[in-house]
């Protein structure tokens, strides 16, 4: 067979190369940003990150073990180990940390395109899904903020693991076993990045029961034989998950042993519908984005917000049912939206950070997939010629304003000053905005300005213990207290 000309091969790969390039270009202006927010505690003031001899401790200890022996929910050996290596490689400069975040986002875009193309055999759909994900403004926090490396890391491994698993369907013998082993290894790395990587196990079950060849035309309720085959397929991933749970319990004492604030299980039930609906809304219409959302918990089942959340969940359930009946190949996309968000619905373990945009990073990939599928379907129904070209053009038209907004939002993450100001411009009740601005002035040895910011915060939030403590400390430094 005569090889295709280089030019045609390039055009044929546009469904993959264009989204990958877009993922890099929209985040290129983060490469000169500084360490901000939690980067200070996790990296700049963390001796375990700054010396290679501490690398073994990073694997065997929780994230905050370098400064406290108190219980913690955080075991992130992938994150802290990579920080340790990057600090040594870049001599403590932030550019490499940002470059790794951008690179992971590019790789995630590629992995999503490969997965969608493999399942749909449709380059236009793969192009649209990957492009919309690459430039989506809701991914800004995860990519522009160094501390969100766990989100990027676990998302990479879930998408890669799913693609490897689906690729194993066409392989036999050693080739199939190698792909399954690599997918299981991806899951292990993903779990060492962040716990929601367990979503891969659930999504493999979805793929085996309803998407694998023959399953899309089978009855919606799976037969015993399909359940048995799905159980065998998921066994390697279940074994990896069990091993991770044993390791985590040995290091931190469980999955989430620490409860933050005064919220309990009933608060989780009351707030979960509204929170989930909020994430879905931001994915579909990324407006009102903010680095620190103030969480006002719902306290009553009679609250309009709770009832609206229930109505939203009911509507989503109807959509899932329709997908299961008429478009099962999109169930993995819906799974990517829903499954990674389930752990962050438990508000007692999250406290004030109950709604955070970084949690929606991987779910945004699933939503981009669903939106792109809707575009392809609508264009196909319209009867236009060059269906794939028109669908790609529509996705590109949606991507342009999204990309512009993402590039603009990246500037908020340049320094603690720009981040604090961007928060307070939108939400003056966000104590984190005052803390970041005060910290920025303190780092520049400007205690008068730092105190002015804290006092401004106390005027808006008179009962905030953190701001009151900062005020006392700064007044003492300035000689106004003994």
């Amino acid at each position: 067979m005569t090889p295709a000309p280089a030019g045609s091969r390039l055009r044929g790969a546009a469904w993959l190369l264009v989204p990958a390039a877009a993922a890099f270009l929209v985040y290129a202006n983060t490469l000169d940003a500084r360490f901000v927010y939690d980067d200070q505690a996790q990296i700049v003031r963390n001796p375990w990150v700054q010396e290679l001899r501490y690398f073994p401790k990073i694997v065997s200890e929780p994230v905050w073990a370098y400064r406290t022996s108190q219980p913690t929910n955080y075991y992130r050996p992938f994150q802290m180990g990579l920080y340790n290596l990057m600090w040594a490689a870049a001599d403590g400069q932030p550019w490499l940390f940002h470059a790794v975040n951008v690179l992971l986002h590019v790789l995630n875009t590629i992995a999503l395109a490969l997965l969608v193309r493999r399942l749909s055999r449709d380059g236009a759909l793969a192009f649209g899904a990957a492009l919309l994900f690459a430039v989506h403004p809701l991914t800004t926090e995860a990519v522009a903020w160094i501390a969100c490396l766990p989100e990027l890391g676990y998302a990479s491994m879930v998408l890669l693991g799913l693609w490897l698993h689906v690729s194993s369907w066409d392989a036999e013998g050693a080739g199939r076993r190698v792909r399954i082993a690599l997918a299981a290894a991806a899951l292990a790395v993903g779990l060492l990045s962040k716990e929601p990587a367990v979503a891969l196990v659930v999504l493999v079950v979805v793929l085996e029961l309803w998407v694998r060849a023959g399953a899309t035309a089978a009855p919606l309720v799976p037969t015993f034989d399909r359940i048995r085959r799905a159980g065998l397929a998921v066994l390697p991933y279940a074994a990896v998950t069990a091993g991770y749970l044993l390791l985590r319990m040995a290091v931190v004492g469980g999955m989430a042993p620490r409860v933050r604030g005064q919220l309990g299980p009933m608060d989780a039930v009351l707030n979960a519908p509204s929170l989930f609906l909020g994430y879905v809304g931001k994915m579909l219409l990324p407006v009102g984005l903010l680095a620190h959302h103030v969480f006002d918990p719902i306290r009553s089942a009679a609250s309009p917000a709770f009832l609206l959340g229930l109505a939203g969940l009911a509507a989503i359930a109807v959509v899932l049912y329709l997908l299961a009946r008429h478009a099962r190949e999109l169930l993995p996309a819906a799974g990517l939206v829903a499954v990674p968000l389930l752990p962050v619905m438990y508000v007692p373990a999250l406290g004030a950070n109950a709604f955070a945009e970084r949690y929606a990073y991987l779910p945004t990939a699933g939503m981009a997939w669903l939106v792109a599928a809707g575009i392809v379907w609508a264009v196909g129904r319209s009867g236009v010629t060059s269906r794939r070209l028109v669908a790609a053009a529509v996705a590109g038209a949606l991507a342009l304003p999204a990309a512009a907004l993402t590039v603009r939002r990246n500037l908020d993450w340049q320094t603690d000053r720009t981040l604090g100001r961007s928060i307070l411009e939108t939400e003056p009740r966000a104590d984190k905005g005052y803390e970041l601005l005060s910290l920025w002035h303190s780092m520049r040895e400007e205690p008068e300005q730092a105190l002015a910011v804290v006092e401004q915060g106390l005027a808006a939030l008179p009962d905030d213990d953190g701001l009151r403590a900062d005020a006392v400390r700064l007044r003492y430094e300035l000689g106004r207290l003994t």
Side-chain angles (χ1 to χ4, degrees), residues 412-432:
D412 293 344
W413 294 88
Q414 289 288 309
T415 66
D416 281 327
R417 185 187 191 189
T418 58
L419 185 58
R421 283 182 169 179
S422 71
I423 293 172
L424 295 178
E425 285 173 1
T426 304
E427 181 51 88
R429 297 181 301 152
D431 58 347
K432 186 57 65 177

Side-chain angles (χ1 to χ4, degrees), residues 174-199:
R176 181 179 182 278
R177 290 192 294 272
V178 168
R179 286 172 173 79
I180 294 297
L182 290 174
L187 173 60
V189 176
L191 289 168
L192 293 175
S193 300
K194 197 171 183 182
E195 300 82 359
V198 75

